[in-house]
PDB file of all heavy atoms in Angstrom:
ATOM      1  N   THR O  16      21.802 -22.451  32.739  1.00 39.00           N
ATOM      2  CA  THR O  16      21.962 -23.387  31.625  1.00 39.00           C
ATOM      3  C   THR O  16      20.782 -23.375  30.681  1.00 39.00           C
ATOM      4  O   THR O  16      20.899 -23.801  29.544  1.00 39.00           O
ATOM      5  CB  THR O  16      22.142 -24.820  32.166  1.00 39.00           C
ATOM      6  OG1 THR O  16      21.005 -25.150  32.971  1.00 39.00           O
ATOM      7  CG2 THR O  16      23.402 -24.910  32.993  1.00 39.00           C
ATOM      8  N   PRO O  29      38.432 -15.496  19.817  1.00 41.00           N
ATOM      9  CA  PRO O  29      39.752 -14.938  20.099  1.00 41.00           C
ATOM     10  C   PRO O  29      39.932 -13.625  19.353  1.00 41.00           C
ATOM     11  O   PRO O  29      39.394 -13.430  18.270  1.00 41.00           O
ATOM     12  CB  PRO O  29      40.724 -16.017  19.584  1.00 41.00           C
ATOM     13  CG  PRO O  29      39.908 -17.271  19.530  1.00 41.00           C
ATOM     14  CD  PRO O  29      38.518 -16.860  19.236  1.00 41.00           C
ATOM     15  N   SER O  34      35.345 -10.020  12.316  1.00 39.00           N
ATOM     16  CA  SER O  34      35.226  -9.273  11.077  1.00 39.00           C
ATOM     17  C   SER O  34      33.835  -8.684  11.009  1.00 39.00           C
ATOM     18  O   SER O  34      33.038  -8.874  11.895  1.00 39.00           O
ATOM     19  CB  SER O  34      35.479 -10.194   9.868  1.00 39.00           C
ATOM     20  OG  SER O  34      34.560 -11.249   9.861  1.00 39.00           O
ATOM     21  N   SER O  39      33.206 -14.018  13.247  1.00 58.00           N
ATOM     22  CA  SER O  39      33.677 -15.270  12.666  1.00 58.00           C
ATOM     23  C   SER O  39      32.697 -15.774  11.617  1.00 58.00           C
ATOM     24  O   SER O  39      31.587 -15.274  11.487  1.00 58.00           O
ATOM     25  CB  SER O  39      33.824 -16.320  13.772  1.00 58.00           C
ATOM     26  OG  SER O  39      32.551 -16.698  14.233  1.00 58.00           O
ATOM     27  N   PRO O  40      33.094 -16.788  10.834  1.00 61.00           N
ATOM     28  CA  PRO O  40      32.154 -17.372   9.868  1.00 61.00           C
ATOM     29  C   PRO O  40      30.854 -17.819  10.523  1.00 61.00           C
ATOM     30  O   PRO O  40      29.780 -17.670   9.932  1.00 61.00           O
ATOM     31  CB  PRO O  40      32.944 -18.555   9.294  1.00 61.00           C
ATOM     32  CG  PRO O  40      34.384 -18.136   9.417  1.00 61.00           C
ATOM     33  CD  PRO O  40      34.461 -17.341  10.694  1.00 61.00           C
ATOM     34  N   GLY O  42      29.534 -16.465  13.183  1.00 61.00           N
ATOM     35  CA  GLY O  42      28.798 -15.236  13.472  1.00 61.00           C
ATOM     36  C   GLY O  42      28.136 -14.658  12.231  1.00 61.00           C
ATOM     37  O   GLY O  42      27.013 -14.168  12.288  1.00 61.00           O
ATOM     38  N   LEU O  66      -4.219  -9.951   2.477  1.00 88.00           N
ATOM     39  CA  LEU O  66      -4.748 -11.161   1.855  1.00 88.00           C
ATOM     40  C   LEU O  66      -6.089 -11.566   2.456  1.00 88.00           C
ATOM     41  O   LEU O  66      -6.972 -12.066   1.739  1.00 88.00           O
ATOM     42  CB  LEU O  66      -3.737 -12.298   2.003  1.00 88.00           C
ATOM     43  CG  LEU O  66      -2.492 -12.205   1.110  1.00 88.00           C
ATOM     44  CD1 LEU O  66      -1.483 -13.278   1.477  1.00 88.00           C
ATOM     45  CD2 LEU O  66      -2.879 -12.314  -0.365  1.00 88.00           C
ATOM     46  N   GLY O  74     -17.897  -8.451   0.265  1.00 75.00           N
ATOM     47  CA  GLY O  74     -17.916  -8.130   1.685  1.00 75.00           C
ATOM     48  C   GLY O  74     -18.055  -9.304   2.621  1.00 75.00           C
ATOM     49  O   GLY O  74     -18.244  -9.116   3.832  1.00 75.00           O
ATOM     50  N   TYR O  76     -16.920 -13.763   3.445  1.00 88.00           N
ATOM     51  CA  TYR O  76     -16.071 -14.908   3.114  1.00 88.00           C
ATOM     52  C   TYR O  76     -16.941 -16.010   2.524  1.00 88.00           C
ATOM     53  O   TYR O  76     -17.872 -16.503   3.177  1.00 88.00           O
ATOM     54  CB  TYR O  76     -15.362 -15.430   4.359  1.00 88.00           C
ATOM     55  CG  TYR O  76     -14.510 -14.397   5.068  1.00 88.00           C
ATOM     56  CD1 TYR O  76     -14.894 -13.873   6.306  1.00 88.00           C
ATOM     57  CD2 TYR O  76     -13.317 -13.952   4.513  1.00 88.00           C
ATOM     58  CE1 TYR O  76     -14.117 -12.932   6.957  1.00 88.00           C
ATOM     59  CE2 TYR O  76     -12.539 -13.011   5.161  1.00 88.00           C
ATOM     60  CZ  TYR O  76     -12.946 -12.502   6.382  1.00 88.00           C
ATOM     61  OH  TYR O  76     -12.175 -11.574   7.020  1.00 88.00           O
ATOM     62  N   SER O  95       7.087 -28.543   9.503  1.00 93.00           N
ATOM     63  CA  SER O  95       7.924 -28.906  10.652  1.00 93.00           C
ATOM     64  C   SER O  95       8.414 -30.340  10.540  1.00 93.00           C
ATOM     65  O   SER O  95       9.581 -30.638  10.826  1.00 93.00           O
ATOM     66  CB  SER O  95       7.140 -28.714  11.953  1.00 93.00           C
ATOM     67  OG  SER O  95       6.746 -27.370  12.130  1.00 93.00           O
ATOM     68  N   VAL O 100      12.638 -34.429   9.137  1.00 94.00           N
ATOM     69  CA  VAL O 100      13.126 -35.527   8.288  1.00 94.00           C
ATOM     70  C   VAL O 100      14.491 -35.172   7.714  1.00 94.00           C
ATOM     71  O   VAL O 100      15.408 -36.017   7.651  1.00 94.00           O
ATOM     72  CB  VAL O 100      12.118 -35.829   7.168  1.00 94.00           C
ATOM     73  CG1 VAL O 100      12.714 -36.807   6.157  1.00 94.00           C
ATOM     74  CG2 VAL O 100      10.831 -36.389   7.746  1.00 94.00           C
ATOM     75  N   GLY O 107      21.040 -37.604  12.112  1.00 90.00           N
ATOM     76  CA  GLY O 107      20.560 -38.745  12.861  1.00 90.00           C
ATOM     77  C   GLY O 107      19.528 -38.344  13.901  1.00 90.00           C
ATOM     78  O   GLY O 107      19.260 -37.163  14.129  1.00 90.00           O
ATOM     79  N   PRO O 125      -1.745 -28.119  24.489  1.00 93.00           N
ATOM     80  CA  PRO O 125      -3.147 -27.795  24.185  1.00 93.00           C
ATOM     81  C   PRO O 125      -3.557 -26.380  24.587  1.00 93.00           C
ATOM     82  O   PRO O 125      -4.421 -25.787  23.935  1.00 93.00           O
ATOM     83  CB  PRO O 125      -3.927 -28.843  24.996  1.00 93.00           C
ATOM     84  CG  PRO O 125      -3.002 -29.994  25.111  1.00 93.00           C
ATOM     85  CD  PRO O 125      -1.641 -29.394  25.238  1.00 93.00           C
ATOM     86  N   LEU O 153      -4.231  -1.820  15.580  1.00 77.00           N
ATOM     87  CA  LEU O 153      -4.814  -2.431  16.774  1.00 77.00           C
ATOM     88  C   LEU O 153      -4.054  -3.684  17.199  1.00 77.00           C
ATOM     89  O   LEU O 153      -4.039  -4.045  18.380  1.00 77.00           O
ATOM     90  CB  LEU O 153      -6.286  -2.781  16.510  1.00 77.00           C
ATOM     91  CG  LEU O 153      -7.216  -1.594  16.258  1.00 77.00           C
ATOM     92  CD1 LEU O 153      -8.605  -2.078  15.868  1.00 77.00           C
ATOM     93  CD2 LEU O 153      -7.289  -0.694  17.481  1.00 77.00           C
ATOM     94  N   ARG O 166       4.868  -9.746  33.521  1.00 72.00           N
ATOM     95  CA  ARG O 166       4.992  -9.338  34.926  1.00 72.00           C
ATOM     96  C   ARG O 166       4.216 -10.268  35.840  1.00 72.00           C
ATOM     97  O   ARG O 166       4.687 -10.638  36.918  1.00 72.00           O
ATOM     98  CB  ARG O 166       4.474  -7.894  35.095  1.00 72.00           C
ATOM     99  CG  ARG O 166       4.564  -7.368  36.522  1.00 72.00           C
ATOM    100  CD  ARG O 166       6.018  -7.172  36.916  1.00 72.00           C
ATOM    101  NE  ARG O 166       6.129  -6.692  38.281  1.00 72.00           N
ATOM    102  CZ  ARG O 166       6.250  -7.463  39.358  1.00 72.00           C
ATOM    103  NH1 ARG O 166       6.254  -8.783  39.190  1.00 72.00           N
ATOM    104  NH2 ARG O 166       6.375  -6.947  40.557  1.00 72.00           N
ATOM    105  N   LEU O 184       2.006   3.551  23.273  1.00 75.00           N
ATOM    106  CA  LEU O 184       1.369   2.634  22.342  1.00 75.00           C
ATOM    107  C   LEU O 184      -0.142   2.842  22.329  1.00 75.00           C
ATOM    108  O   LEU O 184      -0.769   2.886  21.269  1.00 75.00           O
ATOM    109  CB  LEU O 184       1.704   1.193  22.712  1.00 75.00           C
ATOM    110  CG  LEU O 184       1.188   0.104  21.768  1.00 75.00           C
ATOM    111  CD1 LEU O 184       1.800   0.255  20.400  1.00 75.00           C
ATOM    112  CD2 LEU O 184       1.483  -1.264  22.338  1.00 75.00           C
ATOM    113  N   GLN O 202     -12.543   5.660  14.235  1.00 67.00           N
ATOM    114  CA  GLN O 202     -12.992   4.972  13.037  1.00 67.00           C
ATOM    115  C   GLN O 202     -13.523   3.585  13.360  1.00 67.00           C
ATOM    116  O   GLN O 202     -14.459   3.108  12.738  1.00 67.00           O
ATOM    117  CB  GLN O 202     -11.835   4.881  12.039  1.00 67.00           C
ATOM    118  CG  GLN O 202     -11.349   6.224  11.519  1.00 67.00           C
ATOM    119  CD  GLN O 202     -10.218   6.067  10.515  1.00 67.00           C
ATOM    120  OE1 GLN O 202      -9.915   4.966  10.080  1.00 67.00           O
ATOM    121  NE2 GLN O 202      -9.596   7.169  10.152  1.00 67.00           N
ATOM    122  N   VAL O 213      -9.512  -8.478  22.994  1.00 88.00           N
ATOM    123  CA  VAL O 213      -9.536  -9.923  23.259  1.00 88.00           C
ATOM    124  C   VAL O 213      -8.421 -10.617  22.499  1.00 88.00           C
ATOM    125  O   VAL O 213      -7.715 -11.492  23.044  1.00 88.00           O
ATOM    126  CB  VAL O 213     -10.908 -10.518  22.880  1.00 88.00           C
ATOM    127  CG1 VAL O 213     -10.880 -12.040  22.974  1.00 88.00           C
ATOM    128  CG2 VAL O 213     -11.999  -9.964  23.782  1.00 88.00           C
ATOM    129  N   PHE O 242       5.875 -29.083  15.992  1.00 94.00           N
ATOM    130  CA  PHE O 242       5.062 -30.204  15.512  1.00 94.00           C
ATOM    131  C   PHE O 242       3.954 -30.525  16.496  1.00 94.00           C
ATOM    132  O   PHE O 242       2.785 -30.644  16.111  1.00 94.00           O
ATOM    133  CB  PHE O 242       5.951 -31.434  15.295  1.00 94.00           C
ATOM    134  CG  PHE O 242       5.181 -32.673  14.922  1.00 94.00           C
ATOM    135  CD1 PHE O 242       4.825 -32.914  13.603  1.00 94.00           C
ATOM    136  CD2 PHE O 242       4.823 -33.608  15.889  1.00 94.00           C
ATOM    137  CE1 PHE O 242       4.118 -34.053  13.257  1.00 94.00           C
ATOM    138  CE2 PHE O 242       4.115 -34.752  15.546  1.00 94.00           C
ATOM    139  CZ  PHE O 242       3.763 -34.975  14.230  1.00 94.00           C
ATOM    140  N   MET O 249      -4.376 -28.558  14.938  1.00 95.00           N
ATOM    141  CA  MET O 249      -5.219 -29.252  13.970  1.00 95.00           C
ATOM    142  C   MET O 249      -6.428 -29.878  14.647  1.00 95.00           C
ATOM    143  O   MET O 249      -7.550 -29.814  14.129  1.00 95.00           O
ATOM    144  CB  MET O 249      -4.402 -30.330  13.253  1.00 95.00           C
ATOM    145  CG  MET O 249      -3.336 -29.806  12.314  1.00 95.00           C
ATOM    146  SD  MET O 249      -2.282 -31.137  11.655  1.00 95.00           S
ATOM    147  CE  MET O 249      -3.495 -32.145  10.802  1.00 95.00           C
ATOM    148  N   THR O 278      -5.860 -19.517  -1.229  1.00 94.00           N
ATOM    149  CA  THR O 278      -4.704 -20.405  -1.144  1.00 94.00           C
ATOM    150  C   THR O 278      -3.453 -19.642  -0.734  1.00 94.00           C
ATOM    151  O   THR O 278      -2.681 -20.105   0.117  1.00 94.00           O
ATOM    152  CB  THR O 278      -4.475 -21.097  -2.498  1.00 94.00           C
ATOM    153  OG1 THR O 278      -5.670 -21.789  -2.887  1.00 94.00           O
ATOM    154  CG2 THR O 278      -3.324 -22.087  -2.409  1.00 94.00           C
ATOM    155  N   ALA O 290       7.885 -18.526  10.469  1.00 82.00           N
ATOM    156  CA  ALA O 290       8.839 -17.422  10.581  1.00 82.00           C
ATOM    157  C   ALA O 290       8.918 -16.893  12.005  1.00 82.00           C
ATOM    158  O   ALA O 290      10.001 -16.551  12.497  1.00 82.00           O
ATOM    159  CB  ALA O 290       8.460 -16.300   9.619  1.00 82.00           C
ATOM    160  N   VAL O 309       7.379  -2.283  11.199  1.00 70.00           N
ATOM    161  CA  VAL O 309       7.600  -2.029   9.773  1.00 70.00           C
ATOM    162  C   VAL O 309       6.452  -2.606   8.951  1.00 70.00           C
ATOM    163  O   VAL O 309       6.006  -2.001   7.968  1.00 70.00           O
ATOM    164  CB  VAL O 309       8.946  -2.630   9.329  1.00 70.00           C
ATOM    165  CG1 VAL O 309       9.139  -2.463   7.827  1.00 70.00           C
ATOM    166  CG2 VAL O 309      10.086  -1.981  10.094  1.00 70.00           C
ATOM    167  N   LEU O 313       4.068  -0.866   6.031  1.00 75.00           N
ATOM    168  CA  LEU O 313       3.979  -1.450   4.691  1.00 75.00           C
ATOM    169  C   LEU O 313       2.533  -1.753   4.317  1.00 75.00           C
ATOM    170  O   LEU O 313       2.117  -1.542   3.180  1.00 75.00           O
ATOM    171  CB  LEU O 313       4.822  -2.725   4.613  1.00 75.00           C
ATOM    172  CG  LEU O 313       6.341  -2.554   4.586  1.00 75.00           C
ATOM    173  CD1 LEU O 313       7.028  -3.904   4.592  1.00 75.00           C
ATOM    174  CD2 LEU O 313       6.779  -1.744   3.367  1.00 75.00           C
ATOM    175  N   ALA O 315      -0.142  -0.205   5.351  1.00 73.00           N
ATOM    176  CA  ALA O 315      -0.826   1.053   5.046  1.00 73.00           C
ATOM    177  C   ALA O 315      -0.486   1.539   3.640  1.00 73.00           C
ATOM    178  O   ALA O 315      -1.371   1.968   2.877  1.00 73.00           O
ATOM    179  CB  ALA O 315      -0.445   2.113   6.077  1.00 73.00           C
ATOM    180  N   SER O 327      -4.411   9.494   6.372  1.00 76.00           N
ATOM    181  CA  SER O 327      -4.763  10.744   7.028  1.00 76.00           C
ATOM    182  C   SER O 327      -3.619  11.207   7.921  1.00 76.00           C
ATOM    183  O   SER O 327      -2.702  10.450   8.249  1.00 76.00           O
ATOM    184  CB  SER O 327      -6.033  10.568   7.863  1.00 76.00           C
ATOM    185  OG  SER O 327      -5.800   9.643   8.917  1.00 76.00           O
ATOM    186  N   ALA O 329      -3.916  11.925  11.012  1.00 77.00           N
ATOM    187  CA  ALA O 329      -4.044  11.199  12.281  1.00 77.00           C
ATOM    188  C   ALA O 329      -3.337   9.847  12.209  1.00 77.00           C
ATOM    189  O   ALA O 329      -2.640   9.439  13.136  1.00 77.00           O
ATOM    190  CB  ALA O 329      -5.520  11.008  12.637  1.00 77.00           C
TER     191      ALA O 329
END
Side-chain angles (χ1 to χ4, degrees):
T16 58
S34 59
S39 70
L66 287 172
Y76 302 109
S95 299
V100 171
L153 295 174
R166 180 69 181 91
L184 184 63
Q202 296 181 9
V213 172
F242 175 84
M249 291 173 60
T278 304
V309 176
L313 287 177
S327 64

